[in-house]
Amino acid sequence: MDESDTPSEVDHAPAPGAPAVRLSVLLADPVLGLRHIAGPAEDRLVGTVGTTEVEDPAPYLLSGHMLLTAGVRLPQSQDSVDAYVRGVVAAGAAAIGFGVAPVYDEVPDALVAACDRFGLPLLRVPRETPFVAVGRAAYAAMAEAHHRELRLISAAQSALAGAAARPDALAAVLHQLSVHLDAWTALLDASGRELFAAGPRPAPATIQRLRELTARAITQRQPRTNESASGQRPLPPTSAAEHHAELHLTVHTLPGAERNTAPSVLAVAATAPPTAVHRSVTGVATVLLSLLTSPRHALGGDTRSAGALVRLMLGEAPDAVAPALLPGDAARDSRWVVVRGRHTRSGPGPGGRASHDPVWLAALGTSLGTPYLEVDGVELRALLPETRGPRTAVDADLGQLGWTLGYSAPTPAADLAIADNQAARALRRALATDAAAVRHRTEDRSVHGLVDPTDAQALARTRFAPLAEAAAPGQAVLLETLRTWLALHGSWDRTATALQLHRNTVRQRIGKVAELLDADLHDQDVRMELWFALRWLPGEQGASGR
């Protein structure tokens, strides 16, 4: 037969998402006793099983159909059998199961030759196996596979929901998604910059290709030219994909972003093609990531926060307003941590308009676990309700985004100004020591707790009184320089880094302090005395230390 008579390439798989069972499952069933005798040995998916005894069964077949026949109307000539098989292949059938009784004692040679010629798997069905048993086994296997998929989806959804409740929610959700997809997952901004990622990192060329797919998905999301962007609902999410033999790339824009806001994108790089389970799990993850990065979620659009702002503007004290920002019992004895941050290292940062991008700010707020934050250029300030758990994972996530952080001690709302100073100094120490984050240490169990506060404050005022007459840069600047220098163990370079000064300027200021105080700053006892006194200057101790 001429090659031109061979059917063109057809899709013999069931519809995407439809229940199916692999031929290998049916062949492995010892009760059925099926045997593969002709055609390709590929493990095709079977979506339906049915018996048809007509001369031309093609019009009655679906893609992925396994045709069962005893050959009641099978043509006799080779050419006619070829035409029969060619039609079955063109209809997208997955295989033929031929029963050797009651019409034929064995599978006809003409059918074997035709199935080899046209690439259709041919299975021999023994006489003791009724066709209904084959169908029953196939549909039972499909039901079991469907239940297994549901269990996998349920387990993944539970893991993703638990991850979304963690302090490091964005990183945790991506990690769980990476585990359940066995893939590299990343949250990208609209320009393709990586915010968070999880899983084995692919080659740079793969990441670049994901950025290109991101640009394509963002472009697809743009409103049509004849569609007004004003007063309309948010545009639906879009996706783009690229599949190769050993690499499968997909990107999904997160739903819910406004038309004038560039959306974040979930990128996935996997070595296996996506399954129905993978698509379902990815859909859940995109919704969770959209909620976690939405301005409404992370930036506090609730009426309690708005009411607190109004009360502050009308003159109420922070300690009277702060309980309105916390839910339930947490409002009773509310204590806060002030966070200072600076964007210093490589990573997606607040360059350009990113510091005003609601999605980017929302991702930052979600990572910190607070809606109360401000980013001004490369500087960050935030208010956190007091937490007692470790924040190491959060610090690591923000470090990946390029942030260095300083935390105050937990403080009543009345002392937030003092906490802000603590956070600023902790940030300076973090910058000077190249640490991801530094926390202000409380002195509850130190010698400070043994001294009468009134006496300690009187000592501090007396000890630093000579600085009041200092010329420019003035007493406050000299005290802050001294405090930073002592905190960094007298390191000129680290102090210069922390204060963003030249090291010679630091030397000049410390020299002026030593001269005015008539103190030998090389003496460790003198340093200890000054460090103690600094902690008791006015404005340094909160309500509990007054």
Side-chain angles (χ1 to χ4, degrees):
M1 177 172 289
D2 192 273
E3 288 295 330
S4 62
D5 293 333
T6 302
S8 58
E9 189 73 24
V10 296
D11 184 6
H12 48 69
V21 61
R22 294 197 172 274
L23 276 177
S24 59
V25 174
L26 300 179
L27 287 168
D29 190 334
V31 176
L32 298 179
L34 304 180
R35 184 161 55 90
H36 179 267
I37 61 172
E42 62 189 51
D43 195 10
R44 294 185 177 182
L45 287 172
V46 175
T48 56
V49 178
T51 303
T52 304
E53 299 289 1
V54 296
E55 294 180 358
D56 181 16
Y60 309 101
L61 303 179
L62 299 172
S63 181
H65 194 108
M66 181 175 176
L67 169 62
L68 299 177
T69 178
V72 174
R73 294 184 177 275
L74 185 71
Q76 298 302 307
S77 69
Q78 184 67 61
D79 287 345
S80 298
V81 173
D82 285 350
Y84 177 96
V85 173
R86 188 188 306 113
V88 172
V89 171
I96 289 181
F98 194 89
V100 295
V103 181
Y104 290 88
D105 292 332
E106 267 306 330
V107 181
D109 292 339
L111 183 60
V112 172
C115 287
D116 280 332
R117 183 176 295 114
F118 295 110
L120 182 66
L122 176 61
L123 310 185
R124 180 185 183 277
V125 183
R127 68 177 63 245
E128 62 270 16
T129 301
F131 285 170
V132 68
V134 178
R136 185 181 299 156
Y139 292 122
M142 291 179 197
E144 173 58 29
H146 182 59
H147 292 155
R148 185 166 56 252
E149 288 181 352
L150 291 178
R151 290 194 295 269
L152 290 173
I153 291 172
S154 177
Q157 288 177 342
S158 177
L160 289 170
R166 287 170 51 99
D168 54 337
L170 289 169
V173 167
L174 286 173
H175 171 72
Q176 288 298 329
L177 182 61
S178 172
V179 169
H180 286 86
L181 299 187
D182 191 21
W184 183 73
T185 59
L187 181 64
L188 310 178
D189 67 10
S191 64
R193 291 181 299 181
E194 183 182 319
L195 300 177
F196 296 94
R201 192 171 186 84
T206 299
I207 296 176
Q208 178 58 34
R209 189 62 192 135
L210 285 169
R211 292 192 180 103
E212 294 169 1
L213 289 176
T214 295
R216 185 197 304 176
I218 297 293
T219 301
Q220 292 173 354
R221 186 181 174 275
Q222 300 301 320
R224 295 183 293 272
T225 54
N226 61 347
E227 183 180 10
S228 171
S230 60
Q232 301 288 334
R233 289 177 297 179
L235 290 168
T238 56
S239 62
E242 187 175 283
H243 301 293
H244 305 283
E246 297 181 353
L247 191 62
H248 302 269
L249 310 178
T250 54
V251 297
H252 310 268
T253 62
L254 300 189
E258 300 297 332
R259 289 172 177 253
N260 59 348
T261 301
S264 296
V265 173
L266 171 63
V268 178
T271 55
T275 65
V277 173
H278 292 168
R279 285 188 286 269
S280 178
V281 172
T282 302
V284 173
T286 57
V287 172
L288 286 175
L289 291 171
S290 176
L291 292 173
L292 291 171
T293 57
S294 69
R296 184 184 299 268
H297 166 82
L299 299 183
D302 58 282
T303 55
R304 290 168 61 91
S305 297
L309 176 60
V310 170
R311 290 167 61 187
L312 274 176
M313 295 180 69
L314 293 178
E316 284 210 48
D319 55 336
V321 173
L325 303 177
L326 296 173
D329 294 339
R332 239 176 252 157
D333 300 311
S334 60
R335 289 162 63 87
W336 297 82
V337 174
V338 176
V339 184
R340 286 288 195 109
R342 185 174 299 161
H343 195 271
T344 56
R345 292 186 287 275
S346 60
R353 62 181 296 275
S355 62
H356 305 292
D357 187 330
V359 173
W360 194 90
L361 283 175
L364 186 58
T366 298
S367 296
L368 279 170
T370 179
Y372 311 116
L373 77 161
E374 175 199 31
V375 176
D376 184 7
V378 297
E379 301 292 334
L380 173 150
R381 291 201 301 178
L383 274 178
L384 302 180
E386 180 184 9
T387 56
R388 292 175 173 78
R391 295 185 59 87
T392 306
V394 175
D395 296 341
D397 289 341
L398 291 172
Q400 289 181 356
L401 292 179
W403 289 100
T404 299
L405 303 175
Y407 293 86
S408 76
T411 308
D415 294 329
L416 285 178
I418 295 172
D420 189 40
N421 286 334
Q422 294 175 354
R425 292 164 191 161
L427 173 60
R428 284 197 284 271
R429 290 199 299 275
L431 292 169
T433 57
D434 199 28
V438 168
R439 285 161 177 75
H440 179 82
R441 292 173 305 213
T442 58
E443 306 293 342
D444 294 340
R445 299 184 181 180
S446 74
V447 69
H448 293 273
L450 303 177
V451 178
D452 179 82
T454 303
D455 293 341
Q457 290 168 3
L459 170 65
R461 284 193 298 268
T462 302
R463 189 67 183 90
F464 293 110
L467 297 184
E469 305 299 326
Q475 181 183 26
V477 173
L478 292 177
L479 284 172
E480 194 59 34
T481 305
L482 176 63
R483 180 184 288 107
T484 305
W485 184 73
L486 291 174
L488 296 171
H489 310 292
S491 170
W492 306 110
D493 291 331
R494 288 184 174 184
T495 304
T497 300
L499 296 175
Q500 296 183 293
L501 298 172
H502 193 279
R503 67 195 308 271
N504 288 341
T505 304
V506 175
R507 284 182 175 275
Q508 291 169 3
R509 290 184 182 177
I510 296 300
K512 182 177 291 188
V513 170
E515 178 185 347
L516 291 171
L517 297 181
D518 190 21
D520 179 8
L521 296 183
H522 296 291
D523 187 325
Q524 293 297 328
D525 289 337
V526 173
R527 291 191 187 189
M528 182 181 66
E529 175 205 345
L530 294 177
W531 181 251
F532 180 91
L534 281 169
R535 303 301 294 272
W536 288 97
L537 283 173
E540 294 295 321
Q541 295 291 324
S544 60
R546 291 179 191 140

